[in-house]
Structures are given as structure tokens and as C-alpha cells.
């Protein structure tokens, strides 16, 4: 979108895009200095900062997954998962899984002990649900959107879990990360990049025609899947202030710290208040 509309050129930016095979590769790239900015996981950045890394974070997307079930499943709520097989995309410390666990605990439900858990890659967990090897599956947002387009329904959304933990709005769990040093030396560059990223979001939020142009890149096999991807992406575009984002992120970090402990969040039980980057509202 940025290229399609020449937004970078208009802002005086020369963007060089590097694509990586996995999220971990992007984290290695930012740590190794081979890229200036990467799109990575909020919790990873928060943990790295708690361990002393001088990294900054700016929200990119709050799109999250859900626990999916077949349309005719007798399961209607999170309490109904007791005694059933629950597939989890990722591992035991996946952030969505920990958020759901924390919310369930507040309802007196211990999902780790009351359900049979199966961990695996997102495509595998999607297949297990479709093949009947799992009664429910907590998966990433794009796999949920694909399942939704096939007639599956959402039993419990990670957004619902966040609300149950006291968040006023969903936290952006994916964002741009860069070093404090780069920010100090290139503040104008970062601010201009963030500005054009917001411009691109505005275009995608309001124009269906732009999505038609993006469709060949989306691997959406049918119209329902395409529309689900489009609508869920739009829902995840952050629109609130950094102060509001940081306040909810702090509450979420505390909940995750109580659930996952130091192995998940690092040595601190409190989110570092310096984690979030705040663009200069007045420009240069």
C-alpha cells in the first residue's frame, strides 16, 4: 500500500524491505543490526527490555485469535471445555494462550488441568480441529478467519479474555521495534515512517477497492476467506493514543506475569514505562 500510493517517496523515505521466513528471524535481524526496524511480538520486546535491551515499541496491529469450534459443536462457553481436547497454536508460553488462561482462572477454570492440551504449529492445529482430533482450537487470527469462512464459529475470543482482565480495548500485540540509539539518531525518519503507516491504514480502512488490488498477495482461496482477512485486519488497526495503549499493556503484562512468571516476562513484574515510542506531535 505504501509503495502503491508512493507514500514513502512523498515523505522522503527510501524503504528497503527484507522478508524473513519466521518471526524469530526478524528478532535476530533487529538484534544483529541488519535491519533498522522490524515487525515483531510485543511480549518479546517487553521481555527483552526487562532484561536490559534498549528497544522501543510502536503499535502495528491488535488482531488476535480465538478458540474455534465446529458450528454444530455442543460447546458454548469456555467452561464447556472441561474434559475436552483443546489444540493450542504455538507452545505453552504462547501469549494468546496465557491471556486466555488468565481470563479463565478468574472464572475459576483451570484449563491446564481441566482439558487435554495439544500444542503445535497453527496449520496443524487447524487441521486437528477440522479432522475431529481436537474439540476446540486456539489459533492465530488469520487461521481463525479462514476457519470462520468455512463455517466454524468462535467459542471465546482473545479479545474477550483481554476485556475480562480489565483492559478497556485490545492491546496491539504486534508492532514496530527499533533501538533507542536508532530513534535518537533518526527521530524524524521514524516519525515520517509512522505517519505514512497511518496513512496506509486509513486507506485500507475506508477503501474496499484497495483490498481488491491486494487480494493476489493474500492467499485467500475464496470470497468468504478474503472478506474475513480484510475485516479482521481492519479491526486490528490501532487508532488510540500511545498513553491509552500503554495503560492497557501494563495491565496485561501484570496478568501475564502472574500466569507465566519470569520465564515469560523476564525478571520484572511491571511493564517498563519507557517501552513505547511516542512520535513528536509537532514534527521537526
Amino acid at each position: 500500500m505504501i509503495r502503491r500510493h508512493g507514500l514513502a517517496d512523498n515523505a522522503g523515505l527510501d524503504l528497503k524491505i527484507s522478508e524473513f521466513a519466521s518471526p524469530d528471524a526478524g528478532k535476530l535481524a533487529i538484534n544483529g543490526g541488519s535491519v533498522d526496524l522490524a515487525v515483531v511480538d510485543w511480549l518479546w520486546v517487553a521481555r527483552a527490555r526487562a532484561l536490559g535491551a534498549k528497544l522501543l515499541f510502536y503499535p502495528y496491529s491488535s488482531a488476535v485469535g480465538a478458540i474455534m469450534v465446529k458450528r454444530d459443536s455442543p460447546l458454548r462457553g469456555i467452561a464447556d471445555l472441561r474434559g475436552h481436547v483443546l489444540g493450542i497454536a504455538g507452545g505453552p508460553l504462547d501469549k494468546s494462550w496465557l491471556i486466555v488462561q488468565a481470563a479463565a482462572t478468574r472464572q475459576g477454570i483451570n484449563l491446564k488441568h481441566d482439558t487435554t492440551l495439544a500444542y503445535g504449529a497453527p496449520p496443524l492445529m487447524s487441521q486437528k480441529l477440522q479432522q475431529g482430533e481436537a474439540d476446540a482450537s486456539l489459533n492465530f487470527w488469520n487461521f481463525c478467519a479462514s476457519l470462520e469462512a468455512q463455517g466454524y464459529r468462535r467459542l471465546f475470543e482473545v479479545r474477550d479474555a483481554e476485556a475480562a482482565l480489565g483492559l478497556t480495548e485490545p492491546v496491539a500485540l504486534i508492532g514496530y521495534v527499533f533501538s533507542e540509539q536508532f530513534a535518537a539518531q533518526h527521530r524524524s525518519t521514524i516519525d515520517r515512517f509512522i505517519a505514512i503507516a497511518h496513512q496506509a491504514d486509513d486507506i485500507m480502512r475506508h477503501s474496499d477497492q484497495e483490498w481488491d488490488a491486494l487480494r493476489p498477495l493474500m492467499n485467500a482461496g475464496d470470497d468468504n476467506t478474503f472478506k474475513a482477512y480484510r475485516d479482521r485486519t481492519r479491526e486490528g488497526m490501532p487508532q488510540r493514543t500511545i498513553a491509552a495503549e500503554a495503560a492497557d499493556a501494563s495491565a496485561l503484562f501484570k496478568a501475564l506475569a502472574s500466569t507465566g512468571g519470569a520465564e515469560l516476562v523476564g525478571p520484572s513484574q511491571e511493564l517498563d514505562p519507557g517501552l513505547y515510542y511516542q512520535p513528536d506531535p509537532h514534527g521537526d
Side-chain angles (χ1 to χ4, degrees):
M1 185 63 58
I2 288 174
R3 286 176 172 172
R4 176 178 168 80
H5 289 272
L7 301 179
D9 291 340
N10 292 339
L13 297 176
D14 179 18
L15 298 182
K16 294 180 174 61
I17 309 299
S18 298
E19 296 185 7
F20 297 98
S22 71
D24 286 341
K27 296 169 186 175
L28 289 172
I30 197 73
N31 276 339
S34 60
V35 299
D36 299 314
L37 179 149
V39 176
V40 299
D41 179 270
W42 163 80
L43 188 56
W44 177 82
V45 184
R47 185 178 191 279
R49 189 164 177 102
L51 291 170
K54 301 299 184 181
L55 297 175
L56 296 170
F57 182 88
Y58 189 85
Y60 170 72
S61 176
S62 64
V64 287
I67 297 176
M68 304 294 295
V69 296
K70 292 182 177 180
R71 177 171 289 175
D72 60 356
S73 170
L75 305 180
R76 295 293 168 182
I78 195 167
D80 295 334
L81 291 171
R82 291 188 177 102
H84 291 276
V85 178
L86 174 62
I88 308 293
L93 293 179
D94 174 76
K95 61 184 179 303
S96 292
W97 168 226
L98 291 166
I99 291 170
V100 168
Q101 279 187 73
T105 298
R106 295 197 178 188
Q107 298 181 34
I109 302 166
N110 188 328
L111 290 175
K112 288 180 67 175
H113 293 90
D114 296 343
T115 63
T116 300
L117 302 177
Y119 299 105
L124 176 61
M125 292 300 99
S126 181
Q127 290 175 14
K128 281 186 174 294
L129 177 62
Q130 294 176 69
Q131 294 169 1
E133 297 177 21
D135 302 303
S137 176
L138 173 61
N139 217 319
F140 299 167
W141 76 267
N142 51 323
F143 287 89
C144 293
S146 179
L147 287 168
E148 193 174 30
Q150 298 174 55
Y152 289 74
R153 62 179 172 84
R154 294 166 181 261
L155 178 79
F156 188 71
E157 298 204 38
V158 176
R159 286 177 181 265
D160 295 332
E162 291 177 331
L165 294 173
L167 278 63
T168 59
E169 291 185 38
V171 166
L173 297 178
I174 298 294
Y176 304 109
V177 61
F178 40 89
S179 70
E180 287 186 354
Q181 181 180 5
F182 183 78
Q185 296 173 348
H186 304 282
R187 184 174 180 86
S188 173
T189 299
I190 293 174
D191 288 357
R192 281 179 284 146
F193 173 79
I194 289 173
I196 64 173
H198 283 307
Q199 291 176 41
D201 281 354
D202 286 340
I203 293 170
M204 291 190 291
R205 191 179 291 115
H206 298 108
S207 173
D208 288 347
Q209 289 72 28
E210 294 297 333
W211 284 94
D212 292 335
L214 292 172
R215 183 165 182 168
L217 304 174
M218 295 171 61
N219 295 320
D222 55 66
D223 287 344
N224 287 338
T225 302
F226 165 70
K227 291 176 182 178
Y229 284 170
R230 179 196 66 195
D231 295 346
R232 293 295 174 177
T233 300
R234 282 172 165 169
E235 287 179 10
M237 293 176 177
Q239 300 185 61
R240 58 178 174 163
T241 66
I242 292 298
E245 184 78 22
D248 276 339
S250 179
L252 180 58
F253 189 86
K254 288 180 181 178
L256 293 177
S258 67
T259 304
E263 184 180 3
L264 176 69
V265 301
S268 177
Q269 298 291 301
E270 301 282 342
L271 186 68
D272 188 330
L275 174 69
Y276 282 86
Y277 177 78
Q278 177 66 63
D280 185 346
H282 305 295
D284 292 339

